[in-house]
Amino acid sequence: MRSMPLLLALCACAPAIVVPPRTAVERTERSAREVELCVLFQERFTRPRYNGVAELSFEPWDFAIASVAVKHPSAGLVIIDPAFGRSIGRDLELAGPMVMLLMGTERGKQPLVDVMDDAGLSASDVQYALATHTHWDHIGALGDLPNAKVLLPRSELTWNSPFHGSFDHGVMTHHLKRAKQNLWAFDFNGPPIDGFAASFDVFGDGSIVAVPIPGHTPGSTAFLVRGNERTYLFTGDATWTSRGIELPAHKLLTAVDFDLPTLADTIGRLKAFNDNRPDVKIIPAHDGAALASLPQCQQQGKPGQR
Ligand SMILES: [Zn+2]
């Protein structure tokens, strides 16, 4: 069916997205260390596009749950968004029937560590874990990475620290508790870059730079990663699809977003970035087609897949 750009009635209350002028995205030239990266899919299936973005379209949305592995030459193995843990079945039960309606059952979902194993990567080799935000489907595997230092923005940890119970604002507190010994807070104490208000250079070499993209959660973070073939911007759940940035548009289901006016500002910035930086590939966390533009993590010796 032809796509009809139409904001649905359900989204009529979402604040308008104002796109800043292209000139607001001043390209920050900086030297950066190049790193290898690859994707670890834990679930992938097709849904109608309107499930993911407020656009009345039955075009397919390649929905995915995935993590990204970055092989840093000195810091070691880094995982961005360690998504499904070994406890995925129990996590779905704790999340309750509404989430199960949206996300399905345990069937078809693979824990990160199993996918890593298939790709010849060891969970115990992961030195750092980063997350675009702390919702349950982005940090479920934290407790399965015994040696990983977990770096999260202070703004996100301040937000979720009073949470209790098994499932609060999309956060499962046991995921954070399991990682507690290894949890480190960071601040966005670096300069504004590329239209984003501030930055945090994770390893001090420009290979992975975190920028704040608040709204979906207060401490939501995008990661600019300098791959050796191209640069990627991992944008978490600011939008669920690339289409959300291209239009730009909110999700259809805005109840999952913490602060909609702030998110509208973030999506506007991402749209301006997208228009002004065609050299960077933007990757929303649940856009399987965008994620598939990364090489898939493979056992050495096996041919790479795209
Ligand atoms: Zn998510």
Side-chain angles (χ1 to χ4, degrees):
M1 181 185 274
R2 257 181 80 89
S3 153
M4 289 181 288
L6 174 70
L7 290 183
L8 301 182
L10 268 169
C11 257
C13 54
I17 296 166
V18 178
V19 181
R22 274 171 169 233
T23 47
V25 187
E26 226 170 273
R27 185 178 176 142
T28 310
E29 293 297 343
R30 56 190 178 277
S31 59
R33 188 171 206 172
E34 292 182 353
V35 286
E36 265 184 65
L37 63 173
C38 58
V39 62
L40 295 152
F41 282 108
Q42 288 142 67
E43 185 175 36
R44 203 169 171 193
F45 63 95
T46 303
R47 312 168 75 146
R49 184 186 281 170
Y50 73 84
N51 274 192
V53 59
E55 180 185 23
L56 186 54
S57 166
F58 292 86
E59 293 288 319
W61 166 26
D62 178 356
F63 170 85
I65 298 281
S67 307
V68 172
V70 178
K71 294 164 188 170
H72 189 282
S74 54
L77 186 58
V78 182
I79 295 288
I80 300 176
D81 279 355
F84 286 155
R86 285 198 183 96
S87 59
I88 178 59
R90 176 81 184 119
D91 286 352
L92 282 163
E93 277 172 29
L94 290 172
M98 282 307 287
V99 171
M100 297 256 279
L101 204 64
L102 197 70
M103 298 286 289
T105 64
E106 189 179 354
R107 207 167 150 230
K109 295 175 171 58
Q110 280 185 284
L112 169 65
V113 290
D114 291 355
V115 182
M116 288 182 71
D117 204 37
D118 289 347
L121 298 170
S122 167
S124 58
D125 285 343
V126 178
Q127 301 299 308
Y128 291 90
L130 307 170
T132 56
H133 61 295
T134 54
H135 279 165
W136 72 282
D137 57 323
H138 294 258
I139 60 163
L142 276 187
D144 299 338
L145 308 175
N147 302 316
K149 207 177 217 188
V150 181
L151 304 182
L152 291 169
R154 196 176 311 280
S155 46
E156 186 79 350
L157 290 171
T158 302
W159 169 64
N160 64 35
S161 64
F163 292 176
H164 53 83
S166 53
F167 192 55
D168 199 339
H169 288 77
V171 177
M172 291 187 171
T173 47
H174 67 276
H175 291 154
L176 290 162
K177 276 189 195 133
R178 285 176 71 197
K180 201 169 184 181
Q181 307 304 325
N182 299 328
L183 213 52
W184 295 76
F186 68 81
D187 296 299
F188 293 103
N189 52 12
I193 57 163
D194 298 345
F196 298 104
S199 60
F200 171 66
D201 188 341
V202 177
F203 298 117
D205 59 7
S207 59
I208 303 181
V209 179
V211 293
I213 53 162
H216 181 61
T217 64
S220 280
T221 301
F223 296 98
L224 200 56
V225 182
R226 179 68 72 91
N228 46 27
E229 286 183 24
R230 70 185 307 182
T231 299
Y232 297 89
L233 183 69
F234 296 95
T235 54
D237 285 5
T239 65
W240 280 339
T241 62
S242 301
R243 187 75 179 154
I245 295 172
E246 286 159 18
L247 282 171
H250 287 276
K251 304 173 188 80
L252 178 65
L253 190 67
T254 52
V256 298
D257 297 315
F258 181 73
D259 178 347
L260 276 176
T262 301
L263 181 59
D265 178 74
T266 282
I267 297 173
R269 283 172 196 254
L270 291 173
K271 165 70 174 161
F273 183 93
N274 192 44
D275 291 347
N276 209 40
R277 293 295 304 272
D279 56 310
V280 178
K281 175 75 180 169
I282 296 184
I283 307 204
H286 298 304
D287 192 313
L291 285 156
S293 68
L294 292 160
Q296 211 162 308
C297 301
Q298 295 279 319
Q299 295 259 24
Q300 275 190 347
K302 287 191 182 174
Q305 278 181 9
R306 277 194 185 263

